[in-house]
Amino acid sequence: MDVKEKVLDRYSSKVYKNRKQHVITLEKAEETKIAANTRAIPGIITQRGCCYAGCKGVVLGPIKDAAIIVHGPIGCSFYSWGTRRHKAQADEKNDEKADSYLEYCFSTDMQESDIVFGGEKKLKKAIEEVNSIFHPSIIMICSTCPVGLIGDDIHAVAKWAEETVGVKCIAFSCEGYKGVSQSAGHHIANNGLIRHIIGTGDKEPEKRYSVNILGEYNIGGDGWEAERLLKRCGIDVVSVFTGGGSYRDIKNSHLANLNLVQCHRSINYVADMMKDKYGTDWIKGNFVGVESCAKTLRDVGEYFGDEALKSRIEEVIADELDAIADDIEYYKSKLKGKTAALYVGGSRSHHYQMLLNDFSIRTVLAGYEFAHRDDYEGRCVLDDIKPDADSKNIESITVEPDEKFFKIYLTEEQKQALIEKGVELNDYAGMIPEMENGAIISDDLNHYETEEFLKILKPDIFFSGIKDKFVAQKSGILSRQLHSYDYSGPYAGFRGAVNFGRDLVMGLYTPAWSYIKAPWKDVPILNGVMGGEEAC
Ligand code: CFM
């Protein structure tokens, strides 16, 4: 029995039939297709989140100058506050007030009577209150499960707020039960951004070459590192979606020349719609990993095709590499030959393999919580994905070219030439092509499978999140969280790679476990008497 079969063998035939499509071993020619974005099996301890988590927590949450009111019971707000490390710096507004609401938590705190009689009045009151106290540039409303069930019309309330209160207000019907995971919430947030924000500003970029960074959430300061590098190369960053980003900047994003997509899963809808509406091309970049980061910068240079810019980019890369060379070499000497398993949301299990390659660490298992088939197999399978009842529930917007702002930056021939040079232009090849034969991929990995795979594959490091971290850690495998970096970071960019190498070496070479003796090694944990004898 191979590893996959050994792990799945314990399931009932019904569960086995389902899970065997979500787990693949890469050496098997017949296994190139993976099932993804389908409902988790009831009773299996999945690590997924809900639609509201994807909309409010992931995509909208980091927009620092938006006051986001959660319309729902207080528990939903509690679990969206301060739980993700998307950092942002407050900008000074009107020279008197820092304009960032990341540290605040606004909720309508719905009670039983609101569920019975409706919560719209309470929501209106909350908007008036937030507006009078904070005067935000924009208020967003995110609804949670009960709101969808009782039918509060949050969109009508948003319209009322714009007309009566005089504040820009957008509503997102991102009730937790929609779709099969947080992925549905990403889509809903993307739709709102394109419909109500992108294209509403008129501030031209400051430099000749400008980009937006899409799908970068500034976890542990990653986005700042990507921005620093681009700016060093002389490229203007108009907006970041959405880590450290703002409504103020995102509304001007249609005026940038190019989109760079870091996390394809969470923001591909905006990238596609901006291409259709404004003609903005996108490149699938990746600032995680030394090689990938250099390639991303070079791809941007190739896109603009300006020789002076390209040589400036080479200078920056050479300088950055020079600064980290000794550290990387040292950490690589300590990490070479180790193995890793990764299990994260919908893009990092791919990106971090590139960084692991920089240290000669091999990936034996990789999985996503809520990715779609295109994130594994590439966008070439998009036409092959049949929508089901759950995905049909999420609105898919078709946009038309914008009369005023649609522009074409490159001709079709120029685009083709770029693709031939290896630039992933308006495309993403997914995680699978970059993995080695023999590696295992598991979609929606659950607790049982995690434990079994770790037992059999024995990776030196398990990268995951807070929910599955401690099982690995307590069994003696080094665990690093890739959602929060265990409060370290940044890990992106050239400097980030050094932080990453240092944290791994620190974890693997800390002899902490050898100082601890399990209590049962000295003291018996059971007391008993010999059978058939009287205790005296
Ligand atoms: Fe994209 Fe993310 Fe991820 Fe994601 Fe996330 Fe995250 Fe993630 Mo946690 S947007 S898919 S929903 S890269 S919060 S910043 S780390 S699961 S792999």
Side-chain angles (χ1 to χ4, degrees):
M1 241 191 261
D2 66 11
V3 177
K4 169 183 166 177
E5 292 303 326
K6 255 190 219 158
V7 171
L8 303 192
D9 190 48
R10 191 91 67 82
Y11 287 139
S12 68
S13 61
K14 200 172 163 198
V15 174
Y16 173 80
K17 212 170 137 205
N18 176 305
R19 288 302 300 159
K20 78 171 197 232
Q21 300 170 49
H22 290 262
V23 182
I24 60 173
T25 311
L26 283 184
E27 65 204 347
K28 289 185 173 176
E30 73 271 20
E31 287 196 338
T32 52
K33 189 173 162 182
I34 188 162
N37 193 34
T38 61
R39 287 183 190 195
I41 299 166
I44 273 196
I45 307 177
T46 172
Q47 311 286 33
R48 287 170 161 180
C50 68
C51 176
Y52 158 73
C55 183
K56 196 276 175 191
V58 173
V59 179
L60 302 179
I63 303 176
K64 62 189 176 188
D65 56 351
I68 305 179
I69 299 176
V70 176
H71 188 35
I74 196 66
C76 308
S77 261
F78 180 84
Y79 286 107
S80 69
W81 181 58
T83 51
R84 184 170 178 251
R85 291 184 69 223
H86 46 244
K87 296 181 167 207
Q89 272 167 335
D91 297 331
E92 293 298 310
K93 186 186 165 198
N94 303 332
D95 296 330
E96 56 183 31
K97 193 159 67 79
D99 191 11
S100 168
Y101 303 105
L102 292 199
E103 298 300 317
Y104 292 90
C105 184
F106 305 102
S107 168
T108 51
D109 182 18
M110 286 178 95
Q111 304 289 317
E112 205 173 331
S113 61
D114 305 313
I115 304 291
V116 175
F117 299 107
E120 289 176 16
K121 265 193 208 148
K122 207 171 187 188
L123 178 59
K124 286 182 177 173
K125 199 161 166 266
I127 292 171
E128 284 174 328
E129 217 172 279
V130 167
N131 192 53
S132 66
I133 298 171
F134 296 96
H135 313 292
S137 318
I138 184 168
I139 290 179
M140 293 178 176
I141 304 163
C142 286
S143 56
T144 72
C145 294
V147 173
L149 300 176
I150 65 172
D152 276 1
D153 189 347
I154 59 167
H155 302 276
V157 173
K159 199 159 168 254
W160 165 89
E162 297 207 324
E163 287 163 2
T164 315
V165 184
V167 61
K168 171 102 180 166
C169 187
I170 307 173
F172 295 83
S173 293
C174 54
E175 293 83 6
Y177 54 75
K178 285 186 173 164
V180 300
S181 69
Q182 52 266 65
S183 168
H186 300 151
H187 198 162
I188 291 168
N190 279 226
N191 288 349
L193 292 176
I194 197 87
R195 211 172 243 156
H196 302 289
I197 301 184
I198 300 164
T200 59
D202 55 11
K203 189 170 173 268
E204 290 287 340
E206 283 164 15
K207 303 225 169 85
R208 183 162 171 208
Y209 302 118
S210 57
V211 298
N212 301 305
I213 311 179
L214 306 191
E216 169 50 65
Y217 299 96
N218 205 23
I219 308 298
D222 278 356
W224 288 332
E225 198 48 23
E227 244 183 295
R228 182 186 71 79
L229 289 168
L230 288 161
K231 286 183 176 159
R232 239 197 117 183
C233 296
I235 297 157
D236 191 9
V237 178
V238 173
S239 70
V240 183
F241 288 58
T242 54
S246 61
Y247 160 67
R248 249 189 317 278
D249 294 336
I250 291 174
K251 64 185 182 180
N252 300 315
S253 55
H254 60 298
L255 299 170
N257 305 128
L258 174 69
N259 282 331
L260 284 179
V261 174
Q262 173 72 33
C263 167
H264 174 265
R265 180 66 270 132
S266 62
I267 209 86
N268 69 90
Y269 318 95
V270 159
D272 280 345
M273 290 189 277
M274 281 185 79
K275 184 168 182 312
D276 292 343
K277 192 166 178 184
Y278 303 109
T280 321
D281 288 315
W282 59 273
I283 288 178
K284 175 66 191 83
N286 174 23
F287 287 96
V288 176
V290 177
E291 297 283 321
S292 344
C293 188
K295 180 178 185 312
T296 301
L297 294 173
R298 288 189 177 116
D299 285 356
V300 175
E302 288 295 341
Y303 183 84
F304 291 121
D306 177 327
E307 291 309 320
L309 177 70
K310 283 203 239 175
S311 51
R312 173 75 192 140
I313 289 172
E314 289 308 326
E315 273 169 33
V316 170
I317 292 173
D319 188 49
E320 295 277 338
L321 287 179
D322 193 48
I324 63 166
D326 290 349
D327 286 335
I328 297 286
E329 199 184 296
Y330 171 70
Y331 293 133
K332 189 171 174 179
S333 73
K334 306 291 263 180
L335 297 171
K336 200 171 177 201
K338 304 282 183 201
T339 57
L342 305 95
Y343 182 58
V344 208
S347 80
R348 290 168 183 248
S349 297
H350 177 189
H351 297 146
Y352 275 83
Q353 287 187 50
M354 306 301 101
L355 182 50
L356 292 170
N357 287 347
D358 292 329
F359 292 104
S360 296
I361 299 173
R362 197 163 49 86
T363 298
V364 291
L365 169 76
Y368 283 139
E369 291 172 31
F370 49 76
H372 298 201
R373 276 184 62 201
D374 38 318
D375 304 299
Y376 293 103
E377 301 171 69
R379 286 173 67 97
C380 51
V381 301
L382 278 177
D383 290 339
D384 194 34
I385 300 175
K386 291 190 188 66
D388 60 10
D390 292 307
S391 50
K392 277 189 203 155
N393 266 343
I394 312 302
E395 185 187 15
S396 183
I397 300 182
T398 314
V399 291
E400 298 299 327
D402 188 280
E403 280 178 21
K404 192 168 165 204
F405 294 114
F406 188 87
K407 59 189 179 300
I408 298 231
Y409 199 87
L410 294 184
T411 63
E412 286 308 313
E413 292 73 47
Q414 286 172 314
K415 286 184 192 177
Q416 198 46 45
L418 271 184
I419 293 166
E420 276 157 26
K421 278 184 182 166
V423 177
E424 270 189 299
L425 185 65
N426 305 316
D427 198 13
Y428 176 44
M431 174 169 81
I432 288 179
E434 293 200 87
M435 289 185 68
E436 274 181 24
N437 262 355
I440 292 174
I441 297 183
S442 179
D443 173 70
D444 191 14
L445 188 72
N446 54 57
H447 260 199
Y448 158 72
E449 286 171 23
T450 305
E451 285 178 34
E452 293 303 305
F453 275 126
L454 293 185
K455 257 188 242 160
I456 299 173
L457 298 169
K458 297 187 176 48
D460 296 294
I461 315 156
F462 181 48
F463 294 99
S464 66
I466 190 84
K467 288 173 276 185
D468 31 24
K469 171 185 179 73
F470 294 104
V471 173
Q473 188 159 297
K474 285 178 181 171
S475 65
I477 299 172
L478 173 63
S479 145
R480 294 297 303 170
Q481 291 187 62
L482 281 192
H483 305 254
S484 70
Y485 306 158
D486 291 294
Y487 318 103
S488 181
Y491 284 163
F494 301 105
R495 293 179 185 174
V498 174
N499 294 338
F500 184 75
R502 180 203 60 216
D503 288 351
L504 294 194
V505 168
M506 222 159 52
L508 283 167
Y509 291 89
T510 298
W513 297 110
S514 64
Y515 293 136
I516 297 169
K517 202 162 189 193
W520 57 87
K521 296 266 162 97
D522 288 331
V523 185
I525 52 172
L526 282 177
N527 284 314
V529 290
M530 295 294 286
E533 287 179 21
E534 287 287 320
C536 51

